[in-house]
């Protein structure tokens, strides 16, 4: 079947499993355009709670009408959950956020359900085409396709269009903990994005339940999966979170997490628009999700998934063409067998009956010492000595010159290089396997294929040495692990490069440079011995040195500017700007101090060094530090990496100001002080509680979890509500100090954020936004901060 790739492109053959591919594809594109046409959709906005909800309900009603005459039924439920729960760094509370749940099942009913999840809300100031409107558009068409089947489903499916993911995953929590259908859900698929378009990657599955990745492997038409990605993501190296965690931790159900990963430079920016998502990305995602969902709702495993729940899977795809998957216990056997074969190979060489065995032992120990010497100097800077110190330190020359003193032939040196590389990769293999890492398959490939190739070519090498035939056959033998390793490295750079650019990691360039260095070391490991097998070592080393020098000069001269506004590939500098007013009250409730200004945060580590020449007022003289005696540093938003600037500006006057009221303060019979509050305000607010010396928090209203300190200084509660939410009421109990100081028992701060509507803009904000360069993306809104002491 022929499917259009997009505007001004060739028609491309693409096999689709949609019942009517062209209609489904055009329908998905139409849904995507409609959802994003309303603009950004923060929780609580009319765009999110009314316009998008009404559009989705309208489309679902059309699908419901289509299925009326078929063997399956469609039921729709609009849920407005309210609740509280613990999140990393604090707690979150929500009220009347939006969920649209659609149940598709045989007309006779179903006891077991498969859940598919997307979210239609966005961060402020981003249209959110990739994150996550395209997933919701695809889910609508998948729902239509399954509802149009002429045969009944074996099990049911719930399509959850959730409207509060960007606010600490609140809507998914509301569904899985409160909705009556949630008890029947046996597994889920979560559709997400950490980039804009491209392939959707399976980057985590489980916990355990290997049958899920097996189902994906069996059904997906265009598989793209990596257990390496899963272990990197779950290690928290990537500062991101998805609804996967909510369903796993609060629902205790297994699932598959998929995400678009390409072009993360424009993720969560104004550039995340529908035109940047290619048609083949939508087609591919639709093919995969429909096939996998259809397979799962027809599977026997869904009815009794506990029978298949134990164990993990090693899974990886080969250039996106086929997924290799096998149980982790099988992987452990393969890994240890590979390690044993390697040790036997090296043992045989070390204990050769001739005098060569003893010489080999001496040489390989010297080589390992030299390699470790260089490796530590390269990646382990000590007292400011790093990469360049490693290049010029004479100790390295002393280490390597040992070989010259031994009079070792070039061919023997080349052989030793290979064996040392094999031994080091084997060490990594044993370490990864012993620690239960499924990604141990990578060093396994990097040991098994080189070893097998070396053994098969041993006779050729002995007869002719480093001939052209040997070189070609050797490289062919290493092709599979090296091509796969390059594919993984591309994946790492595709995700990590833009992620580091929007993180507050100190000197992310050093992190990226370390990844590059390790990559070069890994790639060169089994090719270094060619230097000693080459006829002219001098010219080869001179060529490598020239390449290094050229790149060093290019990087050091500063000719590469990190940002661009090029429409074909923007890489914006991200800046947060809030026009805020701060008011501080004393123990008597009187205003102690107040000020207003533009609160500016740089997302990346370059700070304002590129902005100051364009906007001179934003400079280091207005940088501000944390005010330790005030909750959350005394600001509505604070970044701990000190990239904070505060430019004085007139006060803000939102049309819907925060109303904060202490309803009651009473002593309990067990000696605590119970304080009850009521708050009315915008859809996004945060509450900070800072206890003073001697006081302690004994209990509160925010869920049944133990109160958790944020940054070891205070308690943080993030609150969100949808439309028509009542006042926010809460209480907490304090164990007072024996002697109350002048600052009282506790400081309570409430911050409010106006992410949409008339209150989002001010004249001063608009004027400042106009002055920013085109290559910057300043995300702006109005906020307030009120602090009270009790």
């Amino acid at each position: 079947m022929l499917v259009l790739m997009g505007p001004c492109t060739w028609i491309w053959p693409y096999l689709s499993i949609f019942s009517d591919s062209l209609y489904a594809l055009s329908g998905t594109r139409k849904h995507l355009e409609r959802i994003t046409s309303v603009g950004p959709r923060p929780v609580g906005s009319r765009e999110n709670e009314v316009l998008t909800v009404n559009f989705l309900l309208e489309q679902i009603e059309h699908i419901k009408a289509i299925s009326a005459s078929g063997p399956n039924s469609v039921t729709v439920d609009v849920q407005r959950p309210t609740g509280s729960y613990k999140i990393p760094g604090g707690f979150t509370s929500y009220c009347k956020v939006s969920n649209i749940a659609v149940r598709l099942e045989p007309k006779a009913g179903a006891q077991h359900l498969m859940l598919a999840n997307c979210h239609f809300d966005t961060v402020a100031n981003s249209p959110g085409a990739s994150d996550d409107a395209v997933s919701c558009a695809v889910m609508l068409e998948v729902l239509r396709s399954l509802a149009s089947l002429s045969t009944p489903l074996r099990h049911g499916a719930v399509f959850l269009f959730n409207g509060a993911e960007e606010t600490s995953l609140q809507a998914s929590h509301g569904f899985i903990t409160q909705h009556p259908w949630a008890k029947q859900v046996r597994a889920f698929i979560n559709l997400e994005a950490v980039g804009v378009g491209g392939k959707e990657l399976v980057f985590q599955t489980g916990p355990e339940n290997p049958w899920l990745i097996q189902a994906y492997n069996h059904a997906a038409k265009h598989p793209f999966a990596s257990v390496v990605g899963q272990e990197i993501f779950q290690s928290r190296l990537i500062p991101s979170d998805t609804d996967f965690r909510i369903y796993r931790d609060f629902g205790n159900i297994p699932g598959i997490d998929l995400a678009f990963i390409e072009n993360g430079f424009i993720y969560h920016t104004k550039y995340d628009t529908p035109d940047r998502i290619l048609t083949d990305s939508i087609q591919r995602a639709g093919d995969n999700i429909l096939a996998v969902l259809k397979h799962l709702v027809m599977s026997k495993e869904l009815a009794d998934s506990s029978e298949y729940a134990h164990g993990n899977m090693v899974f990886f795809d080969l250039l996106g063409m086929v997924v290799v998957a096998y149980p982790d216990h099988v992987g452990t056997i393969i890994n240890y067998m590979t390690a044993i074969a390697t040790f036997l190979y090296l043992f045989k060489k070390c204990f050769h009956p001739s005098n060569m065995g003893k010489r080999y032992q001496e040489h390989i120990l010297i080589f390992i010492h030299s390699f470790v010497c260089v490796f530590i100097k390269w990646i382990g800077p000590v007292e400011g000595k790093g990469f360049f110190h490693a290049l010029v330190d004479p100790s390295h020359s002393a280490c390597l010159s040992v070989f010259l003193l031994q009079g070792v032939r070039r061919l023997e040196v080349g052989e030793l290089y290979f064996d040392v590389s094999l031994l080091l990769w084997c060490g990594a293999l044993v370490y990864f396997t012993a620690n239960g890492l499924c990604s141990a398959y990578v060093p396994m490939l990097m040991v098994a294929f080189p070893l097998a190739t070396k053994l098969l070519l041993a006779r050729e090498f002995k007869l002719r040495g480093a001939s052209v035939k040997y070189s070609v056959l050797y490289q062919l033998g290493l092709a599979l692990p090296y091509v796969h390793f390059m594919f993984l490295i591309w994946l790492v750079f595709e995700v990590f490069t833009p992620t580091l650019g929007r993180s507050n990691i100190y000197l992310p360039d050093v992190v990226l440079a370390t990844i590059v260095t390790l990559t070069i070391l890994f790639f060169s490991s089994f090719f270094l011995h060619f230097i000693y097998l080459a006829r002219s070592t001098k010219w080869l080393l001179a060529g490598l040195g020239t390449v290094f020098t050229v790149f060093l000069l290019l990087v050091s001269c500063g000719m590469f500017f990190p940002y661009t506004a090029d429409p074909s590939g923007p890489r914006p500098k991200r800046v947060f700007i809030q026009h805020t007013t701060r008011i501080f009250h004393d123990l008597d409730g009187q205003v102690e101090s107040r000020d207003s200004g533009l609160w500016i945060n740089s997302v990346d580590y370059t700070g304002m060094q590129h902005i100051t020449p364009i906007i001179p007022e934003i400079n280091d003289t207005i940088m501000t530090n944390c005010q330790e005696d005030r909750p959350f540093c005394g600001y509505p938003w604070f970044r701990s990496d000190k990239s904070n600037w505060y430019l004085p500006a007139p006060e803000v006057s939102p049309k819907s100001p925060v109303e904060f009221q202490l309803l009651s303060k009473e002593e309990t019979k067990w000696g605590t002080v119970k304080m009850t509050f009521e708050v009315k305000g915008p859809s996004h607010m945060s509450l900070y509680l800072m206890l003073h010396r001697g006081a302690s928090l004994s209990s509160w209203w925010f869920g049944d979890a133990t109160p958790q300190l944020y940054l070891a200084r205070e308690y943080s509660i993030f609150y969100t509500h949808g439309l028509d939410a009542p006042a926010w009421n809460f209480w907490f109990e304090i164990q007072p100090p024996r002697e109350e100081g002048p600052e009282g028992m506790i400081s309570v701060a409430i911050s409010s954020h106006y992410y949409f509507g008339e209150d989002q803009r001010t004249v001063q904000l608009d004027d400042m936004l106009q002055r920013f360069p085109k290559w910057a993306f300043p995300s702006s809104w109005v906020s307030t901060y009120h602090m009270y002491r009790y």
Side-chain angles (χ1 to χ4, degrees), residues 496-522:
F496 266 88
T497 304
T499 300
L500 287 171
R502 62 175 183 263
S503 69
N504 61 355
I505 296 175
Y506 182 65
L507 295 180
D509 289 347
V510 174
V511 177
L512 203 58
T514 302
I515 297 175
V516 172
T517 302
L518 291 174
T519 301
I520 294 172
L521 288 174
F522 294 158

Side-chain angles (χ1 to χ4, degrees), residues 337-359:
M337 287 180 65
T338 303
I340 290 170
T342 303
F343 289 133
L344 287 175
Y345 162 79
L346 296 174
F347 182 85
K348 183 179 178 181
K349 278 194 166 185
C350 285
F351 294 94
H352 195 277
S354 69
N355 191 46
M356 291 177 59
K358 186 176 181 181
R359 289 181 60 199

Side-chain angles (χ1 to χ4, degrees), residues 576-578 597-601 624 635 637-638 644-646:
F576 293 127
I577 307 179
Q578 301 172 60
L598 298 180
W599 180 235
I600 304 167
N601 307 107
T624 185
Y635 290 96
W637 176 300
F638 197 85
N644 307 279
W645 289 259
Y646 195 43

Side-chain angles (χ1 to χ4, degrees), residues 112-351:
H112 311 287
L113 301 175
M114 182 72 198
L115 173 66
N117 177 80
C118 71
H119 70 90
F120 55 85
D121 67 310
T122 69
V123 296
N125 303 305
S126 174
S130 186
D131 185 26
D132 193 31
V134 67
S135 296
C136 291
V138 167
M139 269 179 48
L140 279 173
E141 283 305 312
V142 170
L143 172 61
R144 182 196 63 80
S145 297
L146 290 176
S148 302
L149 291 175
S150 57
T151 56
L153 300 174
R154 184 172 184 172
H155 307 295
V158 173
F159 292 79
L160 181 64
F161 302 86
N162 92 58
E165 189 270 352
E166 300 292 357
T167 54
S168 302
L169 319 175
Q170 293 169 333
S172 56
H173 180 270
F175 174 81
I176 205 64
T177 60
Q178 299 175 37
H179 202 285
W181 296 348
K183 296 178 181 179
Q184 295 176 270
V185 173
R186 303 292 179 258
F188 68 92
I189 294 179
N190 182 51
L191 312 180
E192 255 298 347
V194 292
V196 178
K199 298 178 178 180
E200 78 288 350
L201 170 70
V202 174
F203 64 98
Q204 59 179 336
T205 65
E208 298 192 283
N209 288 273
W211 63 277
L212 279 172
I213 194 63
Q214 290 172 330
Y216 176 85
N217 186 24
H218 176 81
K221 301 300 178 182
H222 320 288
F224 187 37
S226 173
V227 73
V228 175
Q230 171 174 294
E231 292 183 342
I232 290 175
F233 189 85
Q234 292 181 350
S235 70
R236 308 298 298 172
L237 289 175
I238 299 176
S240 185
D241 204 359
T242 74
D243 288 320
F244 181 97
R245 179 177 63 83
I246 298 297
Y247 297 131
R248 178 196 66 197
D249 295 351
F250 292 93
N252 196 31
I253 53 177
I256 301 175
D257 215 358
L258 300 99
F260 293 101
I261 64 168
E262 293 186 17
N263 202 4
F265 293 106
I266 57 178
Y267 166 78
H268 278 189
T269 72
K270 64 182 180 182
Y271 299 105
D272 185 7
T273 53
D275 58 291
R276 296 187 184 278
I277 304 176
L278 297 179
T279 300
D280 61 320
S281 293
I282 300 174
Q283 179 76 63
R284 174 196 164 89
D287 286 347
N288 282 341
I289 294 161
L290 176 56
V292 174
L293 265 179
K294 186 176 180 181
H295 176 85
L296 288 169
V297 295
M298 292 296 193
S299 68
K300 64 178 182 179
E301 290 88 353
L302 193 68
D304 187 15
S305 59
S306 60
E307 184 179 341
Y308 313 93
H310 301 294
N312 290 307
M313 291 290 289
V314 178
F315 58 91
F316 56 93
D317 69 272
L318 298 176
L319 300 180
M321 295 183 292
V322 62
V323 169
V324 177
Y326 51 86
D328 61 343
H329 66 270
V330 174
T332 300
I333 295 171
I334 294 173
N335 295 345
Y336 282 130
M337 287 180 65
T338 303
I340 290 170
T342 303
F343 289 133
L344 287 175
Y345 162 79
L346 296 174
F347 182 85
K348 183 179 178 181
K349 278 194 166 185
C350 285
F351 294 94

